[in-house]
Amino acid sequence: MFVAFVGCFAAGTLPSRGEEPALSEAVVRAAAALREKALAGTHAFEILKSLTVEVGSRFAGSMGDAAAVAWGLRTLKKLGLSNVHSEAVKVPRWVRGPASGEILRPYAHPLALVSLGGSVSTAPEGIEAEVIEVASLEALKAVQPEAVRGKIVFFNQKTERARDGSGYGKAVDVRSRGAIHASQAGAVAVLIRSIGTDQNRLPHTGGMWYDDKVPKISAAALSNPDADLLAAEIASGQPVSVRLRISNRELGQAESANVVGEIPGREHPEEIVLLAAHLDSWDLGPGALDDGAGCAIVIETARLIAEVAEKPRRTIRVVLFANEEFGLSGAKAYAKAHEAELARHIAATEADFGAARVWRFRSRVAPEKLAAADAIAKLLAPLGVARGDNRTHGGADLIPLRAARVPLFSLMQDGSHYFDVHHTANDTLDKADPKDLDQNVAAYATFAYCAAEMNGGFGEAPPFPQKKQ
Amino acid sequence: MFVAFVGCFAAGTLPSRGEEPALSEAVVRAAAALREKALAGTHAFEILKSLTVEVGSRFAGSMGDAAAVAWGLRTLKKLGLSNVHSEAVKVPRWVRGPASGEILRPYAHPLALVSLGGSVSTAPEGIEAEVIEVASLEALKAVQPEAVRGKIVFFNQKTERARDGSGYGKAVDVRSRGAIHASQAGAVAVLIRSIGTDQNRLPHTGGMWYDDKVPKISAAALSNPDADLLAAEIASGQPVSVRLRISNRELGQAESANVVGEIPGREHPEEIVLLAAHLDSWDLGPGALDDGAGCAIVIETARLIAEVAEKPRRTIRVVLFANEEFGLSGAKAYAKAHEAELARHIAATEADFGAARVWRFRSRVAPEKLAAADAIAKLLAPLGVARGDNRTHGGADLIPLRAARVPLFSLMQDGSHYFDVHHTANDTLDKADPKDLDQNVAAYATFAYCAAEMNGGFGEAPPFPQKKQ
């Protein structure tokens, strides 16, 4: 008893009277050993290199996507996971064609731009129109419709750099829904300042959505320097005209797949600790950070734990999701196919925020199970990871698990530079640092091992507030 | 005498017995006042903004080049310079067309690449060949010809980051002469790792040259991440094939012009202090740093000095040279047209290294005139500028002045980040900091005012060593 108490104290859990501590002394020791082993060096960078060199870009439904599924299957098998298989997922098939644009007046310049993902094409000769600049969706509402009608709306909203990536959420609505609002106001096309924190002439793509009740208009993102230039011309007070040509194709649906591999639990194989990442990327680049790094982190985490002499009590399941970027197809398919076992998903986390170090550990567990999450947090502290709150939203692919009240966790990576390359051609292997990936694996391995081995689970996650419409 | 001595001591010149000090107390005071005025804020950034927004890219012989000449003339006039005029210069007319490439085997990837400036086209269907990697021109010489014949040579030479930009000089020969050497060895095309210190997928162009006695082969630069990828595929040990398509045009010669403006000297208008920059840029971007910043710095320097109540004794001449990038056409034309007055060029300097702060002051003056250069250095010291050596080469546009032994000066800017954007689409206004430009103007104004006002000149510059062949 004394020994057990010392053990849980070392892990920072003070059990309720008469309860077993979440983490036994032996589990704390084993988790710490895994953590230190990972810190000493992992294969994560090599796995990421293999994905970016042997596959590269892998947008939903593309040849690269199919190659990525094959890569995922052979990699998980090679690295010793069990029950490696794919689960079919239907994905929308949108194919980027050429996109170009230029300022015509008052000062002519070519523009570095890309179609937003899902944008319809312009007429072959393009659209030529005057540009009206607004700062946000809110600002657009304040503009008189006659000032917008027949024009190209330029959403000039900057993305703030932030460690927690919060600048993205504040800015991204002009990308995802700007075309709907602009079209409702009578605009003929949309240009946005890239949702990104860099100053490279490599524009950021990303998903955009239409409303079937509103005419679909083309939308493209300018690189930040090009947005600066367009804004400078507009600031001159002269009317500014732009020509925009976009040619994309909608090809219905295509086949893709979630890739799954496991370390079967030795005592409760039916209980699942889910380690998620997404296998797809945008089409502009090899998606090293988004989300090659996440794939490498969760794969290497599983490989490391699979090497432990005694397998954890619960099953650790790695899922590399299909088509996160363009509609969460894989996540929805998984939630549906695994509906019956979602109640036995005792924990889920997704690595989908690049390759920088983990700095905060957030949770979403039953209030009475906070001590268990805190105990894991104590084991993460030596990695420079602070304990965050209990209100994490988890990753995008975990959204369909919310209704089942699956406990969620976020090992938050430093996002200060993530949005420099996110959804651009610049998302390449060199942006990942091997030692930072090792720290990630150390954090994920610590978390996953503890969650799979601990006494009791995390209960039911608190429900999410209803979305305001 | 005592007062005069104090004055020159303040400026740090200890005159030889009986000689007048190079800088009188009054000149030191006036130069320091100019320096402080510039530090308090200049129009340099606004001038640069005007060039990049109203003109943008301005490659030799292009429409942008003509617009830049018009911009130069109207800007120099508007800012109060005298004798503003253009001097016609013939420039070669090379026009970039589409360029694309991809790795075909073992792992297919598109490549971010650009033609080197001057490259010939491939056949319309492109060149498809195996790639051989070499580290340098030297390394190529060590390879057996049969290993090169029929292949694409990939020069994988990294550019080191250095404050003085020395990494560029060490790497650039593969760009300028790689195609000659590779063709001599039997290669069918050349790919180089970009001569640049960034990791953006924005390849660096730049001048390349042919030898009429050697078959001309196409040459292109890969962005650094693409060079990493190609190297990784080659490192896999499997044969690597690439397809390259380049389509450029040679259109003979075109008209351009040097743009000239002056502050006529009040006592010796025939003696010239030359402030140079080059007006042309590469075609991929607006050339904000290369060399819009240099233009802005020398123009604003002249404007500031033109405001001084009493004009300097000698003429300060601003020359914005045509076509530095693709053959020094403007510099050669200037040296020829002004041959008779080169001996009266008492000092020349060129601003052509971006927009970052000046950190070192180098000279090339007669040994007996070092004290005069040192006196100016003392006035630059409060700007954080260290005294460099007396062996500067001056800027590229000053090369044709060497034979005339014109004293040369370099106000060396911090080049640590210059080669991140040099010769790329990324060379945009946002890369320049207004306060850093002010510091540049402070340094140039201090130098130019002193050189135009000082007692005596800088003698004859020491000759350059003969180039080894």
Side-chain angles (χ1 to χ4, degrees):
Chain A
M1 181 63 189
F2 178 70
V3 170
F5 178 78
V6 168
C8 74
F9 184 78
T13 354
L14 207 57
S16 308
R17 253 179 293 260
E19 249 184 44
E20 260 186 317
L23 304 182
S24 73
E25 194 188 3
V27 171
V28 167
R29 264 201 313 267
L34 262 175
R35 182 188 70 205
E36 298 308 312
K37 188 176 176 188
L39 275 187
T42 76
H43 301 173
F45 187 81
E46 286 307 311
I47 293 170
L48 176 57
K49 184 173 180 179
S50 156
L51 176 60
T52 56
V53 172
E54 295 169 32
V55 179
S57 73
R58 48 197 180 278
F59 186 60
S62 67
M63 281 172 61
D65 189 27
V69 169
W71 175 90
L73 291 171
R74 75 174 180 261
T75 301
L76 294 186
K77 282 176 192 161
K78 189 174 67 184
L79 297 182
L81 271 70
S82 300
N83 191 23
V84 174
H85 66 282
S86 60
E87 301 183 0
V89 177
K90 294 265 186 219
V91 297
R93 183 82 181 106
W94 174 86
V95 180
R96 183 186 304 281
S100 64
E102 56 266 343
I103 304 177
L104 301 168
R105 278 175 294 278
Y107 307 112
H109 290 274
L111 290 168
L113 57 78
V114 291
S115 288
L116 295 183
S119 174
V120 296
S121 303
T122 62
E125 70 277 15
I127 284 172
E128 187 180 321
E130 199 178 319
V131 176
I132 177 170
E133 176 184 341
V134 295
S136 63
L137 291 184
E138 276 308 302
L140 177 63
K141 287 181 196 160
V143 178
Q144 294 302 313
E146 55 268 34
V148 178
R149 199 164 298 129
K151 294 197 180 141
I152 296 172
V153 170
F154 167 42
F155 289 107
N156 188 15
Q157 179 154 310
K158 289 193 185 178
T159 306
E160 293 164 26
R161 191 180 294 283
R163 195 182 190 190
D164 65 1
S166 54
Y168 183 72
K170 291 178 194 163
V172 75
D173 60 356
V174 301
R175 187 194 80 205
S176 47
R177 303 183 63 78
I180 299 172
H181 291 263
S183 178
Q184 280 172 327
V188 294
V190 163
L191 290 172
I192 68 167
R193 174 186 282 277
S194 276
I195 309 301
T197 44
D198 60 299
Q199 282 289 340
N200 295 315
R201 293 189 77 198
L202 293 165
H204 297 238
T205 191
M208 63 165 292
W209 317 105
Y210 290 112
D211 179 332
D212 283 339
K213 297 190 278 301
V214 178
K216 295 178 182 181
I217 59 177
S218 297
L222 301 174
S223 86
N224 282 316
D226 291 81
D228 292 343
L229 178 67
L230 182 57
E233 294 217 21
I234 292 168
S236 78
Q238 303 165 78
V240 175
S241 291
V242 159
R243 184 160 47 214
L244 181 67
R245 279 189 212 84
I246 286 179
S247 171
N248 298 320
R249 283 175 297 160
E250 296 267 11
L251 299 179
Q253 284 195 312
E255 286 292 331
S256 186
N258 293 331
V259 174
V260 182
E262 294 181 342
I263 307 170
R266 75 171 190 278
E267 283 182 15
H268 295 291
E270 76 288 0
E271 291 185 6
I272 311 292
V273 172
L274 177 64
L275 302 184
H278 67 84
L279 190 53
D280 65 307
S281 75
W282 276 100
D283 52 344
L284 298 176
L289 302 194
D290 187 13
D291 185 24
C295 293
I297 290 164
V298 298
I299 292 170
E300 176 64 1
T301 294
R303 189 198 65 78
L304 208 64
I305 297 177
E307 279 186 355
V308 173
E310 192 177 55
K311 299 286 173 286
R313 293 157 76 187
R314 303 184 183 83
T315 291
I316 293 174
R317 179 181 290 169
V318 168
V319 181
L320 309 180
F321 283 102
N323 189 33
E324 186 271 345
E325 297 293 2
F326 197 48
L328 302 180
S329 312
K332 291 172 189 166
Y334 180 87
K336 197 168 171 194
H338 295 265
E339 194 175 5
E341 63 172 5
L342 291 188
R344 299 194 301 273
H345 280 58
I346 72 129
T349 187
E350 179 163 31
D352 182 19
F353 204 55
R357 285 172 180 253
V358 177
W359 65 285
R360 195 159 72 174
F361 174 63
R362 299 178 73 202
S363 59
R364 190 175 200 94
V365 302
E368 69 274 17
K369 295 293 187 177
L370 269 172
D374 291 346
I376 296 175
K378 281 282 160 68
L379 277 162
L380 297 172
L383 297 171
V385 179
R387 176 71 172 111
D389 63 19
N390 195 44
R391 289 181 304 201
T392 189
H393 285 60
D397 287 311
L398 307 184
I399 291 174
L401 305 185
R402 289 179 182 179
R405 311 280 289 274
V406 174
L408 304 177
F409 298 85
S410 295
L411 291 152
M412 291 185 69
Q413 293 162 298
D414 189 323
S416 302
H417 294 279
Y418 182 61
F419 293 107
D420 288 351
V421 303
H422 179 252
H423 294 188
T424 71
N426 228 6
D427 185 2
T428 47
L429 180 64
D430 51 282
K431 310 306 183 302
D433 180 274
K435 293 310 293 173
D436 290 354
L437 285 174
D438 292 344
Q439 190 262 9
N440 272 273
V441 173
Y444 274 82
T446 303
F447 165 76
Y449 181 80
C450 288
E453 190 62 43
M454 63 191 287
N455 295 314
F458 297 104
E460 271 199 340
F464 281 83
Q466 291 299 308
K467 225 179 187 172
K468 285 178 216 152
Q469 284 303 331
Chain B
M1 181 62 193
F2 178 71
V3 169
F5 178 78
V6 168
C8 74
F9 185 76
T13 355
L14 208 57
S16 307
R17 254 178 292 261
E19 249 184 44
E20 259 188 316
L23 303 181
S24 73
E25 193 189 4
V27 171
V28 167
R29 266 201 313 268
L34 261 175
R35 183 187 69 206
E36 298 308 312
K37 189 176 176 187
L39 275 187
T42 77
H43 301 174
F45 187 82
E46 286 307 311
I47 294 169
L48 176 56
K49 184 174 180 178
S50 156
L51 177 60
T52 56
V53 172
E54 295 170 32
V55 179
S57 73
R58 47 197 180 279
F59 186 62
S62 67
M63 283 171 60
D65 189 27
V69 169
W71 175 90
L73 292 170
R74 73 174 182 263
T75 300
L76 294 186
K77 281 176 192 160
K78 189 174 69 184
L79 297 181
L81 271 70
S82 300
N83 190 24
V84 174
H85 66 282
S86 61
E87 302 182 359
V89 177
K90 295 264 186 219
V91 297
R93 184 82 183 105
W94 175 85
V95 180
R96 183 186 304 280
S100 64
E102 57 267 339
I103 303 177
L104 301 169
R105 277 175 296 276
Y107 306 111
H109 290 274
L111 290 168
L113 58 77
V114 292
S115 288
L116 294 183
S119 174
V120 296
S121 303
T122 62
E125 70 276 14
I127 285 172
E128 186 181 321
E130 198 179 319
V131 176
I132 177 170
E133 175 185 340
V134 295
S136 63
L137 291 184
E138 276 307 302
L140 177 63
K141 286 180 196 159
V143 178
Q144 295 301 313
E146 55 268 32
V148 177
R149 200 164 299 128
K151 293 197 181 142
I152 295 172
V153 169
F154 168 41
F155 289 106
N156 188 15
Q157 178 153 310
K158 289 194 184 176
T159 306
E160 292 163 27
R161 191 179 293 284
R163 195 180 190 190
D164 64 0
S166 53
Y168 183 71
K170 291 177 194 163
V172 75
D173 60 355
V174 299
R175 187 193 80 204
S176 47
R177 304 182 63 78
I180 299 172
H181 291 263
S183 178
Q184 281 173 326
V188 294
V190 162
L191 290 173
I192 68 167
R193 173 184 283 278
S194 277
I195 308 302
T197 44
D198 61 298
Q199 281 289 339
N200 295 316
R201 293 188 76 197
L202 293 164
H204 297 238
T205 190
M208 64 164 292
W209 316 105
Y210 290 113
D211 179 331
D212 283 338
K213 296 188 278 301
V214 177
K216 295 179 180 180
I217 59 177
S218 297
L222 301 174
S223 85
N224 281 317
D226 291 81
D228 292 343
L229 178 67
L230 182 56
E233 294 217 19
I234 292 168
S236 78
Q238 302 165 79
V240 174
S241 290
V242 160
R243 183 160 47 213
L244 181 67
R245 278 188 212 84
I246 287 179
S247 171
N248 299 318
R249 283 175 298 160
E250 297 266 10
L251 300 178
Q253 283 195 314
E255 285 293 331
S256 185
N258 293 331
V259 174
V260 182
E262 294 181 341
I263 307 169
R266 73 171 192 278
E267 283 183 14
H268 295 292
E270 76 287 0
E271 290 186 6
I272 311 293
V273 173
L274 176 64
L275 302 184
H278 66 85
L279 190 53
D280 65 307
S281 74
W282 276 101
D283 52 344
L284 299 176
L289 301 194
D290 187 13
D291 185 24
C295 293
I297 290 163
V298 299
I299 292 170
E300 175 65 0
T301 293
R303 190 197 65 78
L304 208 65
I305 297 175
E307 279 186 355
V308 173
E310 191 177 59
K311 300 285 174 286
R313 294 156 76 186
R314 302 183 184 85
T315 291
I316 292 175
R317 178 181 291 169
V318 168
V319 181
L320 309 180
F321 284 101
N323 189 33
E324 185 270 346
E325 297 293 2
F326 197 49
L328 301 179
S329 311
K332 291 172 189 165
Y334 179 88
K336 198 168 170 192
H338 296 265
E339 193 174 6
E341 62 173 4
L342 291 187
R344 298 194 302 273
H345 280 58
I346 72 128
T349 187
E350 179 163 32
D352 181 19
F353 205 54
R357 287 173 178 251
V358 177
W359 64 285
R360 195 159 72 174
F361 174 64
R362 300 177 71 201
S363 59
R364 189 176 201 96
V365 301
E368 68 275 16
K369 295 294 187 175
L370 268 173
D374 291 345
I376 296 175
K378 281 284 159 67
L379 276 161
L380 296 171
L383 297 171
V385 178
R387 177 71 171 112
D389 63 19
N390 195 46
R391 289 181 304 202
T392 189
H393 284 61
D397 287 311
L398 307 183
I399 291 173
L401 305 185
R402 289 178 181 179
R405 312 280 291 272
V406 174
L408 304 176
F409 298 85
S410 295
L411 291 152
M412 291 184 70
Q413 293 161 297
D414 189 324
S416 302
H417 294 279
Y418 182 61
F419 293 106
D420 288 351
V421 302
H422 179 253
H423 294 189
T424 72
N426 227 7
D427 185 1
T428 48
L429 181 64
D430 52 283
K431 309 305 183 302
D433 180 274
K435 294 309 295 173
D436 290 352
L437 285 174
D438 293 344
Q439 189 261 11
N440 271 273
V441 173
Y444 274 83
T446 302
F447 165 75
Y449 181 81
C450 287
E453 191 62 45
M454 63 191 286
N455 295 313
F458 298 104
E460 272 200 336
F464 282 82
Q466 291 299 308
K467 222 179 186 172
K468 285 179 214 148
Q469 285 303 333

